[in-house]
Amino acid sequence: MATTILKILMTLFCLQVVIKSYVFFFVKYDIRKKQLDKSYENKLSATKTTDYVSLAICAILLTLLFFSENLEYLSFITGLYIGATLIQLYFHQYSNKLPLSDDKAPTEPLSPIKLISYSIQAFPKRPWKELLFLTILFLWGLYMLLSKGFDLFPNS
């Protein structure tokens, strides 16, 4: 049962990542910035609640993975290292894009996460290599979930 639930959830999360990549590259900056302004308003963070929810989801996914008895320690550790490194490299791409011009900069109050959020929206293509790498991995994951996980492509 844990394996089935995990497959369903991971299929949804893979789709979310692919859609998010699409939004970064194809939704106009003005639309993305307007949404960001609305999310932050006069706050230092726009994600406090969702950060807690995301952490809880990670705990649930990890619990399901352990109960599924499909955890392969070497794959897990390797994937964890690759994922963490890609995120680190992603953020490093913004080290030379500051300060933001007035039309792209966030309003006060400022925080590091607010500044980086606005930088990401202003220059989403900056970490294109990391985004491409992640998107390919999640597309592969989605394919594997659908073909092997749910046996939707029996001849593959």
Side-chain angles (χ1 to χ4, degrees):
M1 179 66 146
T3 301
T4 302
I5 294 169
L6 189 57
K7 287 177 186 177
I8 291 167
L9 290 174
M10 291 314 302
T11 300
L12 294 172
F13 287 127
C14 284
L15 283 169
Q16 177 198 20
V17 170
V18 171
I19 291 167
K20 199 173 195 178
S21 296
Y22 172 83
V23 168
F24 265 166
F25 285 101
F26 298 106
V27 173
K28 292 182 179 186
Y29 170 72
D30 295 341
I31 294 169
R32 293 191 327 271
K33 183 160 185 304
K34 184 185 284 188
Q35 183 60 43
L36 193 61
D37 290 340
K38 183 179 173 188
S39 296
Y40 271 98
E41 290 180 3
N42 292 320
K43 302 178 286 189
L44 290 172
S45 174
T47 61
K48 258 186 191 168
T49 303
T50 55
D51 286 350
Y52 289 119
V53 171
S54 295
L55 189 59
I57 289 170
C58 286
I60 291 166
L61 292 173
L62 187 60
T63 301
L64 287 168
L65 182 59
F66 277 109
F67 282 117
S68 74
E69 298 179 4
N70 287 319
L71 176 64
E72 204 289 316
Y73 78 93
L74 190 57
S75 292
F76 179 81
I77 294 167
T78 303
L80 181 62
Y81 178 80
I82 290 169
T85 302
L86 283 171
I87 295 306
Q88 179 182 0
L89 295 173
Y90 175 91
F91 283 111
H92 287 179
Q93 296 304 314
Y94 291 95
S95 62
N96 63 352
K97 282 293 183 187
L98 299 175
L100 293 169
S101 59
D102 289 341
D103 62 321
K104 291 183 173 35
T107 58
E108 296 282 341
L110 292 178
S111 67
I113 193 66
K114 188 173 184 180
L115 191 56
I116 196 71
S117 293
Y118 275 77
S119 296
I120 290 168
Q121 292 303 320
F123 307 103
K125 295 174 183 150
R126 186 85 180 120
W128 70 268
K129 297 177 296 298
E130 294 79 7
L131 285 172
L132 180 62
F133 198 143
L134 284 167
T135 302
I136 289 169
L137 290 174
F138 279 103
L139 282 170
W140 173 81
L142 186 58
Y143 171 77
M144 293 303 289
L145 282 162
L146 296 176
S147 65
K148 294 197 184 296
F150 294 107
D151 202 27
L152 293 179
F153 312 118
N155 295 330
S156 54

